Amino acid sequence: MRNFQLLFFLVLVLSINAQTVSSPSKLISLNFKLTSDGKLTYTVLFKSKNIINESTLGIAIKNSQNLDSNFIIDSIFQKKVDETWQPVLGEQSNIRNNYNQMTVALTQQSTSRKLNLIFKIFNEGVAFRYEFPKQEKLNYFIISDEKSQFNLTENYNVFWIPGDYDSQEYSYNETKLSEIDNSKLDMNNGIGVKSISSPFRVQSPLMMKSQNGIYLNIFEAAVVNYPVMHLDVDTKKYSLTSNLVPNAIGDKAYLQTPCVSPWRTIMISDDARDIVSSKMILNLNEPSKLTDTSWIKPMKYVGIWWEMHVGLSTWDYAVSQNAQNVADSNLKPSGKHGATTENTKKYIDFASKNGFDGVLVEGWNVGWEDWYGNWKENVFDFTTPYPDFDLKVVADYAKSKNIKMIMHHETSGSVANYERHLDRAINLMKQYGYPAVKSGYVGRIIPRGEFHDGQTMVNHYNYVAQRMAENKLMLNSHESSRPTGYSRTYPNYIAAEAARGNEFNAWSIGNPPMHETILPFTRLLGGPMDYTPGIFEIKMNHYNQKKTEQVHTTLAKQLALYVTMYSPLQMAADLPENYEKYPDAFQFIKDVAIDWQESIYLEAEPGDYITVVRKAKNSEKWFLGSITDENSRKTELKLDFLTPNIKYKAIIYEDGKTADWKINPINYQIKSLVVTSKSKIKLILAKGGGTAISFEPLK
């Protein structure tokens, strides 16, 4: 009898200390277990097979006992959630949020501190976070490290970029996990500020594929008042550990209870389309805090920007690098300044003629003579224009043409200076009717020692979004930390760059053809990207015969990017005169929608290809984009996504017969077909190529 009681007691303890929660589909399950010494561990299974081997969890507290062992379970609570919500702008007009949740309430016996672990299991993956309840034993505290482990079961094929705390502007490497080594890379490929000390640190989101076709993605969601998570890699044990970005003195996060960490996410599927189409990151963020969102509008724009990248004009007004202000006698016009009143009017005319919403102007304000490489505290004031840019004349002219101007704020990394001037800069935008701003953070962060991905900067980016929202202004940040779904909470945070954009093709070795097939599996999982597609003059020797740089795509692929690279803020990035040379191809950019009712990923393979079709919001029009890497590709698609019993005119913008991203990139052809939902269509993509299709119902 005594043995039976002992056995019953052991079974009871084990059942309390080990709990399982599964996805609604039952295909994914997470096992949580408390070890005999009170350590926190979890295991993840997909279709009953281990995907994440037993991995530990925990938080290191500065000058105190760590929250990683000696725990007992107080309670376990499970619930089911199945709801639908509507984003202001997005790939879908309705997003389903369906998961099973388990909350484990814990007490650390040696300190009496409370910690909750929250697990959410979706059909496409799992998420967990640390919750610190209000308590006397843990009030204000400093995180010195986070000990979230992801112990993998095998040597995955990995798409990765180095763990640079200051920049994501790298092209992706495709290697085995065991082959990750930053020390073997050329780290001078671009303008990123290099802050990499470890050869085995990578950035999340980290996209992976196993030999037997399992796709895995490790990322995070809802990064608020917390640093960005990078990943330390054990290349021998196939293990990943969270690496939080430090501040100037090495601390990771300053917190006060009650508070939470971001969600750590693991997406899993044997179909790559499930990863790229997932809305799990958005679902893990708080609902919109804005009651009135009627002023948040999608925008298609052109701008004074690419002409500086290709060397036709400059951001700065003057020749001298020694001038202190516009009244300084050393400040002499260079004659190449791009942001002039007259040049802006030309862009406004072009935008109005072709049905665009807005015009961006970079280099309009004083300070550009003395910013890059000098990293001074007070370079820009965000309100003083150059002598050749008349704010009122430009604003009045844009208004007369029904065009919205997009403000540009380059901070040069001096965030304290930007915050000091922010209210005045906002007032100027409102005075002249600018509905949106593009902010920039090129260079090392001032105050010195802070990183782009640290807690201080994360709070800054979110603060700017909040201040803009309070003034009914939209935000597009460049060189910021990569988004983690915060656009759900503040939908005026309409887009961000936060990755290696199209601009690198103008003056560096560029973006390899596979680059755009990886970004939807990584950077775009967290939110829209201002990639600036639409370059028609592919080779830079068009502007200077000595230049060898070029865009690493065909012209047709540049069109397809408007569909494959989701953003409600899309730029036609090339020069107006280049579009006027190819008006038939330019028609697709004019026609394509940027806010969507529905999106369907028809084909997807990271690093190889993506085909997606999207239905315009409140319309019967559909648009398809298909892109490939450096390899040519043929495919046949069913058009069963179209509405039955309706005939559509399909206008197909495709690579020409001799098209090749390197040899003959501008070779394209356009043809029209009448199709229905029962039709099939064949696509032939050139090397580095793509296809763009518009489907318009016939009356």
Side-chain angles (χ1 to χ4, degrees):
M1 183 68 178
R2 183 174 297 175
N3 289 337
F4 175 79
Q5 289 176 332
L6 179 60
L7 179 62
F8 177 79
F9 175 75
L10 289 173
V11 170
L12 181 62
V13 170
L14 288 173
S15 65
I16 292 174
N17 289 350
Q19 293 287 322
T20 299
V21 59
S22 298
S23 62
S25 67
K26 309 298 183 184
L27 296 179
I28 298 175
S29 60
L30 179 142
N31 298 330
F32 168 78
K33 187 175 76 172
L34 200 64
T35 64
S36 58
D37 55 352
K39 291 183 178 178
L40 314 169
T41 71
Y42 75 101
T43 307
V44 178
L45 293 85
F46 175 66
K47 294 185 177 180
S48 302
K49 294 183 179 180
N50 272 22
I51 295 297
I52 302 293
N53 285 331
E54 188 172 59
S55 303
T56 59
L57 302 171
I59 298 289
I61 308 296
K62 186 176 182 179
N63 300 325
S64 182
Q65 183 176 339
N66 294 336
L67 292 171
D68 60 357
S69 62
N70 200 226
F71 281 102
I72 59 172
I73 294 176
D74 296 328
S75 65
I76 295 177
F77 173 73
Q78 295 196 22
K79 69 175 182 178
K80 298 181 178 181
V81 173
D82 192 355
E83 60 188 10
T84 302
W85 59 280
Q86 291 73 42
V88 178
L89 306 171
E91 294 183 88
Q92 310 277 162
S93 59
N94 292 286
I95 295 178
R96 187 182 183 187
N97 188 22
N98 183 206
Y99 61 89
N100 294 329
Q101 178 175 316
M102 177 171 68
T103 302
V104 183
L106 301 151
T107 297
Q108 190 175 43
Q109 295 182 88
S110 52
T111 64
S112 298
R113 289 173 172 170
K114 302 290 185 181
L115 175 69
N116 297 336
L117 288 176
I118 306 175
F119 300 95
K120 291 185 177 182
I121 318 300
F122 298 79
N123 285 339
E124 66 265 46
V126 307
F128 62 86
R129 79 178 345 171
Y130 303 91
E131 182 180 53
F132 308 92
K134 182 69 176 177
Q135 55 193 293
E136 292 183 5
K137 298 291 184 179
L138 190 67
N139 185 9
Y140 173 83
F141 62 104
I142 301 172
I143 291 181
S144 59
D145 216 345
E146 183 182 316
K147 299 185 175 183
S148 302
Q149 277 189 340
F150 309 86
N151 292 327
L152 307 178
T153 58
E154 62 179 278
N155 191 14
Y156 278 81
N157 196 51
V158 184
F159 301 88
W160 60 278
I161 56 177
D164 187 339
Y165 293 156
D166 268 320
S167 177
Q168 312 88 3
E169 295 181 319
Y170 294 93
S171 56
Y172 282 86
N173 306 280
E174 182 180 359
T175 70
K176 291 292 185 182
L177 188 141
S178 61
E179 297 169 348
I180 289 175
D181 189 347
N182 293 322
S183 65
K184 297 179 180 179
L185 300 178
D186 175 12
M187 304 306 291
N188 297 309
N189 182 16
I191 61 172
V193 180
K194 309 303 180 290
S195 57
I196 306 173
S197 58
S198 169
F200 308 118
R201 187 176 75 225
V202 298
Q203 299 196 36
S204 71
L206 187 65
M207 186 66 202
M208 297 173 274
K209 182 183 179 181
S210 71
Q211 290 183 349
N212 59 350
I214 300 298
Y215 299 89
L216 197 63
N217 185 289
I218 295 178
F219 192 23
E220 60 181 337
V223 179
V224 178
N225 192 31
Y226 212 82
V228 166
M229 180 185 74
H230 293 236
L231 296 166
D232 288 331
V233 184
D234 187 324
T235 57
K236 296 180 179 179
K237 295 182 179 179
Y238 311 147
S239 178
L240 306 168
T241 305
S242 57
N243 179 306
L244 302 184
V245 177
N247 65 8
I249 60 174
D251 295 334
K252 306 300 176 65
Y254 301 106
L255 300 176
Q256 186 171 10
T257 58
C259 56
V260 294
S261 76
W263 293 97
R264 280 59 185 100
T265 64
I266 309 167
M267 297 183 192
I268 312 160
S269 182
D270 52 12
D271 187 336
R273 294 176 298 176
D274 294 336
I275 305 293
V276 75
S277 64
S278 173
K279 296 296 171 284
M280 182 171 147
I281 301 301
L282 281 175
N283 279 328
L284 288 165
N285 280 263
E286 292 186 20
S288 174
K289 292 184 179 296
L290 309 182
T291 53
D292 175 20
T293 58
S294 60
W295 49 275
I296 300 175
K297 304 290 186 182
M299 294 185 73
K300 199 182 297 182
Y301 71 104
V302 296
I304 300 175
W305 176 77
W306 187 249
E307 64 182 68
M308 285 86 98
H309 285 285
V310 300
L312 294 181
S313 63
T314 62
W315 283 272
D316 54 293
Y317 167 82
V319 174
S320 173
Q321 294 288 320
N322 301 313
Q324 300 300 311
N325 55 63
V326 292
D328 195 305
S329 59
N330 289 323
L331 193 62
K332 304 299 182 183
S334 66
K336 291 189 69 177
H337 185 220
T340 69
T341 301
E342 293 308 311
N343 196 27
T344 304
K345 285 183 176 181
K346 294 177 183 178
Y347 278 84
I348 291 171
D349 288 341
F350 180 79
S352 177
K353 175 184 175 182
N354 291 285
F356 283 73
D357 304 295
V359 172
L360 166 75
V361 179
E362 294 197 9
W364 69 274
N365 56 324
V366 300
W368 289 90
E369 287 76 25
D370 199 27
W371 77 289
Y372 187 72
N374 293 321
W375 314 132
K376 295 181 179 179
E377 176 81 13
N378 301 307
V379 175
F380 298 106
D381 67 6
F382 313 101
T383 57
T384 306
Y386 278 123
D388 58 353
F389 186 81
D390 191 312
L391 275 165
K392 187 177 187 309
V393 169
V394 167
D396 289 346
Y397 191 75
K399 186 176 181 180
S400 73
K401 298 284 186 173
N402 198 29
I403 294 297
K404 301 293 186 182
M405 297 300 298
I406 299 174
M407 179 56 72
H408 184 239
H409 291 161
E410 175 52 63
T411 68
S412 67
S414 183
V415 293
N417 178 61
Y418 188 39
E419 290 186 4
R420 283 194 297 270
H421 289 90
L422 187 57
D423 284 350
R424 281 165 284 183
I426 286 173
N427 289 338
L428 187 77
M429 289 177 63
K430 294 167 69 175
Q431 177 183 351
Y432 290 107
Y434 285 69
V437 61
K438 172 184 175 181
S439 61
Y441 295 89
V442 175
R444 291 198 178 276
I445 297 300
I446 303 172
R448 302 296 188 196
E450 297 293 337
F451 295 112
H452 284 74
D453 285 354
Q455 182 189 28
T456 296
M457 287 305 299
V458 166
N459 288 345
H460 167 80
Y461 306 133
N462 292 345
Y463 168 73
V464 173
Q466 294 167 25
R467 289 292 292 123
M468 293 295 172
E470 290 167 5
N471 288 276
K472 295 188 175 182
L473 300 171
M474 296 182 290
L475 172 65
N476 166 29
S477 64
H478 279 231
E479 297 88 31
S480 60
S481 61
R482 76 281 188 279
T484 57
Y486 198 62
S487 57
R488 179 186 181 187
T489 309
Y490 280 90
N492 68 306
Y493 204 160
I494 192 173
E497 182 194 37
R500 190 177 176 90
N502 216 8
E503 65 195 48
F504 278 79
N505 289 309
W507 36 258
S508 75
I509 66 171
N511 304 335
M514 74 173 184
H515 186 65
E516 295 92 352
T517 70
I518 299 172
L519 286 171
F521 289 94
T522 52
R523 160 64 186 81
L524 274 91
L525 293 176
M529 181 178 178
D530 186 27
Y531 187 71
T532 59
I535 304 302
F536 281 11
E537 280 298 344
I538 302 293
K539 294 181 180 289
M540 298 305 109
N541 61 15
H542 172 79
Y543 307 102
N544 183 336
Q545 291 183 355
K546 295 181 180 180
K547 292 178 73 68
T548 60
E549 296 87 355
Q550 71 165 96
V551 179
H552 292 191
T553 75
T554 64
L555 186 150
K557 183 174 180 178
Q558 287 291 306
L559 297 179
L561 293 176
Y562 285 94
V563 186
T564 64
M565 303 281 284
Y566 165 67
S567 179
L569 181 72
Q570 288 281 24
M571 185 181 197
D574 212 335
L575 309 180
E577 54 265 35
N578 291 339
Y579 291 131
E580 289 169 347
K581 287 190 293 185
Y582 307 100
D584 53 350
F586 184 52
Q587 188 63 43
F588 182 81
I589 299 178
K590 294 164 63 174
D591 291 342
V592 67
I594 51 176
D595 192 23
W596 306 102
Q597 181 80 19
E598 184 178 0
S599 295
I600 304 170
Y601 287 83
L602 303 177
E603 304 173 306
E605 185 65 36
D608 291 338
Y609 56 84
I610 283 183
T611 302
V612 60
V613 65
R614 307 186 193 272
K615 186 179 184 182
K617 189 173 285 186
N618 302 319
S619 172
E620 195 54 53
K621 294 181 180 180
W622 293 78
F623 296 88
L624 181 146
S626 183
I627 63 173
T628 186
D629 59 1
E630 69 278 5
N631 300 304
S632 59
R633 185 167 187 267
K634 296 180 181 180
T635 186
E636 185 175 71
L637 304 173
K638 294 180 180 179
L639 304 185
D640 52 6
F641 52 83
L642 297 173
T643 303
N645 303 317
I646 294 180
K647 290 183 178 181
Y648 293 81
K649 180 182 180 181
I651 306 176
I652 304 168
Y653 302 78
E654 62 184 3
D655 295 314
K657 293 181 180 180
T658 62
D660 181 294
W661 74 268
K662 195 172 186 179
I663 300 171
N664 194 15
I666 305 182
N667 182 237
Y668 67 92
Q669 59 189 22
I670 303 172
K671 62 184 181 182
S672 298
L673 300 173
V674 176
V675 298
T676 70
S677 62
K678 296 180 180 180
S679 302
K680 294 181 181 180
I681 195 165
K682 292 182 179 180
L683 305 183
I684 301 176
L685 281 62
K687 295 178 180 179
T691 300
I693 306 177
S694 62
F695 298 93
E696 184 171 351
L698 294 171
K699 295 181 181 180

